[in-house]
């Protein structure tokens, strides 16, 4: 008995004491949600190259699914225990900057050409004259569609929103005639993740409207109009209800939906698609006159780390921003990088839709963010999707949902009119 | 007629009850041995296609994720929680059972409070505490969280046990010249084996099953536990259900084993404080 | 401890009566000390801290610093004035009461069946109580898959049986989700009732049934006259423990729906979490936490008072 307790204790000590790699090595902690996606190889290569250029410094790259990643970032910032290299969805930058947990990058950035050479949305990451992140990717959107499905139904690629709706209707089918829809015309996320809000913004920005202008919320009548349009897609049964982001993508890439809206990273999912989709997917420009624009994700630096570490982190950010690694970004990931003009002929040849996303990312666009209230993004998107989900479930009319959203936003967010 | 009908109905009902219990577990197991695309088909296949069964999901989970590390973390946290809970609760349970003061009622009240406190209520303060103690992202922080529930409960279980051990037994030892402490060690402790097993089983299951403390006090990645790791796989693009279910099965097997071994002791823990 | 200093070697083996009681008290207190310390640090202090936080409007990052702001009731008014507050009380009631009721019903039924000791009862007993060994978070994952509206087994069975005409969006409809989550937790919770009820059934002396049979009492009469009264004491304790455990449960909701869709599955305990860690208002979360505590204590006292005869827990 006593011996087994001792054995247990020893085993325990072995597990609980972190493996002491007490070599004179600096380890930079770098969690990201992009390792599983098409961006993974680029990040891995960058981290390895950094390690070779900086002996004695090792970057510990770990993967976390997007939702968990941002929840974890929040708690780690709050605890003053942030990762050294912060990679996040750009819409969180303002909130963290507001909490005072990010380090302004200007004293380093101003010595480089970054501010001059970057996509315009880089400027939006400045709050009160300080820059809190480096835009890795600007949103470029496309309509991802299943070409054989469209051909079979005799539907042309939609170029306007009414055409999109009609196409979705025609493409919704019961393939095996068991009385149950098994091919949806469109996969729309109307669920309560922050991407439900993004769906709203595709349609709202698409109608050439911003949700907040001059600290004033858009008219309830206009919000109602956008919600009512989304409701028509749901009512017509062209999309399943309550889809979150991942199930939405899964539905398309498993061959059970004909169209969905996604960003420039969409081609990366083709690898794991069902056989029938792997050769049949195509991407067209979004059939909206205006797009939901803005930065997608960014690199940032935490305030609560030592000055030496900050220098090392900046070295990493600078390396990521270098023309060579930006060129590789386009080539390896197929996404238009932040540094303007980094897409070369090789990348274009490898990624047939890269030009389309490049064009999309540089098209004049509205913002998917509540301008002036970016730091309140979480409450904003949550109140929005709450109303929208209730509407989709048939609990609220579009008008009632819009009013509930407007009231909720004005109650919870100070300064919003 | 009725005489034959009633037993038949009873047997059918029992069968149904068994099915209800086992079907979700069966489905977890079958899914974990299937290919990713096979589980997304309609209609679902109740009886698996035997040729289609594969260990792919297990290989992918064990080699492609930090699952082994998560299992090790869960094990470490569970063992530590058990050891500390025992070390604290055995002496305290003994002392309480031999005291006549108000502390017994106090313990009853504390136990009751800790039994109805959702972990989320303690979470923010424990988070502040762990941060102040430099334990954030350390397994020890989760052990503390588990102990907030386990210590009052285990102490009560030990007290109830010692209440049943007659004082004469100890007194005999004192007369032989043992100190009270020594009496506790050499006479009472061997008596308490079954209660200690109950505490072990109960605290073990509660700690292994913890989700909320590990999710908040650890930073994910390598440092988290298997329950959180499994739930994290839901956040991935393309939820790979066979992998999720493979990890779920791996996370369940140890408890299932413990359950089979310590069935009776667990029941005792349940009735005195159920999680 | 210091109960036997070396000097006492010379004294007779029996200890002096004087001071023995004091020494005993000292020893007992010393033995209790670690447990007292644990509960003070891990239960009492957190509750006190929670109450403190609930009176300040803090950002998450400010939790770690000394509080310099003035105290306020704003968190309480914001938390209770929020239009989602009353719905969340309703969700809590469904989750706790319907969940316990379902678990009790299934548990009692299975206990009665097992008590018949039909052939294979031992095997069935092991099967029937096996859900208990599944962690709540893991059980939630399994049920997420079972309840999926695209390829879930439950929808398939319902459609095949002709009970529904279209797949039910169990976890994505704000009207259905709370019931779906509640039912899934009942699956995990019922074995506890099975075991407790089975123990209770087996404690009823067989002679009582035999006597009743001789009096010509039928099956139903025997159940209402002997079985139910025999179960009453156990039922009270079991239901009480079941309610407490269900009230504490947050994993099921957090894993299956994260409180959604449209915050329709946010029980009080879950709301404490989302307000703190998702909307970054620890003050509001703490205020909800204090309210949760009040609700729990009030319900417990009410329950103990209503069943005060043998409140032996």
């Amino acid at each position: 008995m006593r011996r087994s307790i001792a054995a247990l204790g020893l085993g325990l000590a072995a597990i609980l004491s972190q493996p002491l790699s007490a070599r004179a090595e600096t380890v930079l902690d770098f969690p990201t949600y992009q390792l599983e996606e098409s961006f993974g190889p680029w990040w891995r290569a960058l981290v390895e190259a950094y390690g070779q250029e900086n002996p004695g410094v090792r970057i510990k790259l770990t993967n976390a699914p997007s939702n968990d990643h941002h929840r974890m970032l929040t708690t780690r910032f709050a605890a003053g225990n942030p990762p050294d290299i912060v990679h996040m969805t750009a819409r969180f930058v303002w909130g963290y900057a507001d909490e005072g947990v990010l380090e302004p990058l200007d004293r380093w950035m101003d010595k480089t050409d970054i501010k001059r050479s970057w996509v315009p949305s880089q400027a939006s990451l400045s709050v009160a004259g300080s820059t809190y992140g480096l835009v890795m990717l600007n949103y470029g959107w496309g309509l991802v569609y299943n070409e054989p499905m469209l051909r079979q139904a005799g539907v042309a690629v939609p170029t306007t929103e009414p055409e999109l709706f009609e196409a979705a209707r025609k493409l919704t089918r019961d393939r095996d005639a068991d009385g149950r829809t098994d091919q949806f015309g469109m996969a729309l996320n109307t669920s309560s993740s922050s991407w439900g809000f993004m769906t709203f913004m595709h349609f709202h920005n698409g109608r050439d409207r911003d949700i907040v202008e001059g600290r004033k919320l858009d008219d309830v009548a206009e919000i109602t109009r956008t919600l009512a349009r989304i409701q028509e897609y749901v009512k017509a049964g062209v999309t399943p209800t309550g889809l979150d982001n991942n199930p939405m993508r899964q539905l398309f890439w498993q061959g059970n939906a004909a169209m969905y809206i996604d960003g420039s990273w969409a081609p990366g999912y083709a690898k794991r698609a069902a056989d029938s989709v792997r050769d049949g997917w195509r991407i067209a420009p979004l059939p909206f006159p205006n797009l939901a624009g803005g930065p997608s994700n960014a690199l940032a630096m935490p305030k609560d780390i030592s000055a030496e570490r900050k220098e090392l982190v900046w070295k990493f950010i600078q390396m990521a921003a270098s023309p060579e690694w930006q060129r590789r970004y386009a080539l390896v990931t197929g996404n238009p990088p932040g540094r303007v003009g980094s897409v070369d002929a090789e990348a274009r040849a490898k990624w047939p839709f890269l030009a389309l996303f490049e064009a999309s990312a540089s098209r004049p666009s509205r913002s998917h963010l509540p301008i002036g209230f970016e730091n309140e993004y979480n409450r904003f998107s949550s109140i929005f999707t709450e109303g929208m989900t209730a509407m989709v479930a048939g609990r609220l009319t579009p008008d009632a949902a819009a009013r509930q959203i407007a009231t909720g936003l004005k109650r919870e967010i100070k300064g919003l009119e | 007629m009725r005489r034959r009908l009633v037993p038949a109905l009873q047997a059918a009902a029992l069968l149904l009850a068994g099915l209800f219990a086992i079907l979700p577990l069966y489905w977890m197991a079958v899914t974990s041995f299937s290919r990713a695309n096979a589980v997304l088909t309609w209609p679902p296949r109740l009886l698996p296609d035997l040729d289609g069964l594969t260990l792919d999901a297990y290989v992918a989970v064990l080699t492609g994720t930090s699952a082994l590390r998560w299992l090790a973390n869960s094990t470490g946290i569970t063992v530590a929680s058990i050891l500390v809970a025992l070390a604290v609760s055995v002496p305290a349970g003994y002392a309480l059972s031999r005291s006549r003061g108000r502390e017994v009622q106090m313990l009853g009240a504390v136990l009751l409070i800790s039994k109805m406190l959702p972990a989320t209520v303690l979470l923010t303060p424990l988070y502040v505490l762990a941060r102040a103690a430099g334990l954030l992202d350390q397994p020890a922080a989760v052990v503390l969280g588990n102990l907030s529930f386990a210590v009052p409960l285990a102490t009560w279980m030990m007290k109830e046990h010692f209440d049943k051990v007659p004082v004469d037994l100890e007194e005999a030892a004192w007369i032989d010249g043992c100190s009270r402490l020594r009496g506790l060690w050499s006479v009472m402790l061997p008596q308490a084996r079954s209660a200690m097993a109950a505490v072990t089983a109960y605290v073990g299951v509660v700690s292994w099953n913890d989700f909320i403390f590990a999710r908040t006090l650890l930073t994910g990645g390598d440092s988290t536990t298997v329950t959180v790791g499994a739930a994290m796989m839901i956040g991935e693009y393309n939820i790979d259900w066979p992998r999720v279910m493979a990890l779920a099965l791996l996370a369940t097997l140890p408890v299932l084993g413990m359950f089979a071994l310590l069935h009776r002791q667990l029941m005792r823990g349940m009735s005195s404080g159920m999680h | 401890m210091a109960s036997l200093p070396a000097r006492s070697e010379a004294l007779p083996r029996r200890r002096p009566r004087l001071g023995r009681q004091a020494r005993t008290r000292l020893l007992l207190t010393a033995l209790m000390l670690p447990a007292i310390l644990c509960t003070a640090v891990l239960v009492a202090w957190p509750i006190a801290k929670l109450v403190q936080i609930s009176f300040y409007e803090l950002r998450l990052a400010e939790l770690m610093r000394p509080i310099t702001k003035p105290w306020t009731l704003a968190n309480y008014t914001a938390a209770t004035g929020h239009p989602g507050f009353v719905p969340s009380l309703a969700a809590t009631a469904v989750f706790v009461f319907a969940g316990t009721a379902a678990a009790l019903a299934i548990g009692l039924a299975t206990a009665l069946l097992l008590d018949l000791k039909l052939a294979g009862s031992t095997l069935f007993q092991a099967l029937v109580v096996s859900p208990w060994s599944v962690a709540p978070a893991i059980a939630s994952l399994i049920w997420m898959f079972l309840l999926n509206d695209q390829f879930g087994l439950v929808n398939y069975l319902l459609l095949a049986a002709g009970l529904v005409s279209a797949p039910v969006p169990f976890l994505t409809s704000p009207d259905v989700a709370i019931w779906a989550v509640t039912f899934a937790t009942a699956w995990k919770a019922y074995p506890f009732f099975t075991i407790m009820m089975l123990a209770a059934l087996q404690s009823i002396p067989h002679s009582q049934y035999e006597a009743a049979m001789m009096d010509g009492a039928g099956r139903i009469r025997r159940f209402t006259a002997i079985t139910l009264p025999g179960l009453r004491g156990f039922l009270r304790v079991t239901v009480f423990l079941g309610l407490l455990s269900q009230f504490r449960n947050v994993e099921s909701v957090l894993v299956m729906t994260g409180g959604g869709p449209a915050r329709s599955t946010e029980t009080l305990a879950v709301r404490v979490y989302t307000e703190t860690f998702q909307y970054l208002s620890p003050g509001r979360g703490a205020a909800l936490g204090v309210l949760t505590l009040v609700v729990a204590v009030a319900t417990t006292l009410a329950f103990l008072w209503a069943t005060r005869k043998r409140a032996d827990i």
Side-chain angles (χ1 to χ4, degrees), chain A residues 71 74-75 78-79 98-99 101 180 184 192 240-242 251 378-379 382 386 389-390 393 395 411-412 414, chain C residues 57 59-61 64 82-83 149-150 159 167 172 174-175 260-263 273 275 277-281 284:
Chain A
R71 182 180 51 72
T74 303
T75 44
D98 201 40
E99 288 263 350
V101 296
R180 178 178 176 275
F184 291 94
S192 48
T241 54
L251 205 65
N378 277 358
R379 270 197 199 277
S382 132
E386 201 177 324
T389 313
R395 275 185 172 182
R411 188 191 56 243
E412 294 284 321
K414 283 175 195 151
Chain C
E57 281 190 297
R59 295 182 163 281
L60 207 47
M64 307 301 159
H82 193 281
D149 55 353
Q150 296 298 315
L159 284 166
T172 52
D175 299 312
R263 301 187 82 169
Y273 185 87
E275 281 296 338
F277 291 101
Q278 194 170 333
Y279 302 117
L280 311 186
S281 301
R284 214 186 274 192

Side-chain angles (χ1 to χ4, degrees), chain A residues 399-416:
Chain A
D399 181 47
R403 271 183 284 122
Q404 178 188 310
I405 289 168
T407 326
L409 286 174
K410 285 174 188 167
R411 188 191 56 243
E412 294 284 321
I413 295 169
K414 283 175 195 151
L416 181 71

Side-chain angles (χ1 to χ4, degrees), chain C residues 167-290:
Chain C
V168 185
F170 284 111
L171 296 176
T172 52
S173 153
D175 299 312
V176 188
I178 184 68
W179 296 98
V181 173
T182 302
F183 184 77
T185 57
W187 174 78
K188 149 89 188 139
Y190 84 83
F192 168 67
F193 290 90
T194 309
I195 290 156
M196 296 292 281
M197 291 299 111
L198 195 57
L201 286 172
Q202 285 165 357
S203 73
I204 300 173
H206 207 70
S207 54
Q208 286 189 20
Y209 287 108
E210 279 163 6
M213 264 160 104
M214 268 192 269
D215 293 347
R219 217 173 264 280
I220 293 167
R221 175 98 192 96
R222 289 200 302 266
F223 181 75
T224 53
I226 300 169
T227 314
L228 272 187
L231 288 179
R232 193 166 293 155
F234 277 85
L235 262 180
R236 191 165 48 217
V237 179
T238 313
V239 167
F240 179 63
L241 291 173
L243 287 173
L244 286 186
S245 145
Q246 186 76 353
F247 187 75
R248 298 184 79 232
N249 183 342
V250 284
E251 290 92 339
S252 303
V253 171
L254 282 178
V255 173
M256 290 179 82
T257 64
R263 301 187 82 169
S264 64
T265 53
E266 275 187 11
T267 61
L268 265 181
V270 171
R271 222 172 158 80
V272 176
Y273 185 87
T274 49
E275 281 296 338
T276 308
F277 291 101
Q278 194 170 333
Y279 302 117
L280 311 186
S281 301
R284 214 186 274 192
L288 282 164
V290 172

Side-chain angles (χ1 to χ4, degrees), chain A residues 61-74:
Chain A
L61 186 64
T62 49
N63 178 57
S66 170
N67 288 344
D68 283 284
H69 177 60
H70 291 99
R71 182 180 51 72
M72 219 49 253
L73 272 185
T74 303

Side-chain angles (χ1 to χ4, degrees), chain A residues 272-326:
Chain A
R272 281 189 278 174
D275 299 339
S276 60
V277 189
R278 202 169 298 135
D279 300 316
W281 64 276
R282 302 280 186 278
I283 304 178
L286 270 199
F288 298 125
N290 212 315
L291 298 185
S296 160
N297 60 84
L299 276 177
M301 189 190 289
K303 192 166 233 160
D304 276 351
I305 55 172
S306 67
E308 302 91 83
R309 276 179 182 266
K310 282 179 186 165
E311 292 301 329
L312 291 173
V313 171
W314 173 254
K315 260 187 166 174
F316 180 78
I317 296 178
Q318 197 175 13
M319 192 169 167
S322 67
E324 170 59 12
W325 280 97
Q326 286 288 299

Side-chain angles (χ1 to χ4, degrees), chain A residues 63-277:
Chain A
N63 178 57
S66 170
N67 288 344
D68 283 284
H69 177 60
H70 291 99
R71 182 180 51 72
M72 219 49 253
L73 272 185
T74 303
T75 44
R76 290 186 66 173
F77 273 129
N81 173 37
D84 298 295
I85 301 171
V86 182
H87 179 231
M88 65 185 136
T89 299
R91 57 178 180 269
F92 290 108
V93 171
W94 292 273
Y96 290 145
D98 201 40
E99 288 263 350
V101 296
L102 293 181
E103 178 76 19
L105 299 175
D106 305 87
R107 61 182 152 126
W108 296 286
M109 209 181 253
D110 286 344
K111 290 182 198 143
T112 70
D113 69 334
I114 291 176
K115 284 183 179 172
R116 273 167 284 130
S117 315
W118 233 249
V119 287
S121 69
Q122 173 62 37
S124 71
L125 291 188
S126 284
V127 182
S130 297
T131 307
Y132 289 98
L134 174 74
V135 172
M136 293 308 298
L137 180 66
N138 202 48
Y139 276 134
W141 299 106
L143 180 71
V144 190
Y145 66 94
N146 187 314
E147 204 269 333
M149 283 185 191
L150 267 71
R151 190 164 11 99
Q152 197 191 8
V155 174
V157 178
T159 54
T160 63
E161 196 277 327
E163 281 178 26
L164 177 70
F165 184 72
E166 277 315 307
R169 278 232 299 225
K170 285 185 190 144
L171 286 162
T172 301
R173 292 181 51 209
D174 174 9
R175 283 180 296 209
D176 56 9
D178 66 348
R180 178 178 176 275
T181 303
D182 46 24
Q183 175 183 310
F184 291 94
M186 185 87 197
L188 278 181
N189 175 350
T190 52
S191 163
S192 48
S193 78
S194 55
W195 277 71
F197 182 53
M198 191 56 109
T199 302
F200 175 86
M201 294 312 294
H202 280 310
F203 282 84
H204 205 65
N205 287 158
R207 291 177 49 226
D208 202 15
R209 301 203 65 88
D210 273 320
I211 189 63
V212 175
E213 231 179 301
R215 302 188 76 74
K216 195 178 169 309
L217 186 70
D218 204 3
D219 292 340
V220 169
E222 295 296 344
I223 298 174
T224 305
R225 202 162 298 161
T226 302
L227 285 174
R229 191 53 177 163
I230 293 171
Q231 179 78 322
E232 282 179 62
Y233 282 75
V234 174
K235 280 255 169 76
V238 303
T239 175
T241 54
L243 282 183
D244 203 342
N245 240 22
N246 293 332
M248 168 185 82
R249 290 186 178 128
Q250 202 154 359
L251 205 65
F252 176 85
W253 292 104
Q254 291 301 325
N256 296 318
M259 303 184 286
Y260 84 111
I261 299 172
D262 209 345
S264 52
W265 48 83
Y269 301 131
K271 262 186 303 193
R272 281 189 278 174
D275 299 339
S276 60
V277 189

Side-chain angles (χ1 to χ4, degrees), chain A residues 12 65 71-72 75 79 246 254, chain B residues 76 127 131 136 218 232 235-236:
Chain A
L12 187 69
R71 182 180 51 72
M72 219 49 253
T75 44
N246 293 332
Q254 291 301 325
Chain B
Y127 187 75
R131 166 66 186 143
L136 221 53
L218 304 177
M232 250 166 49
E236 304 268 0

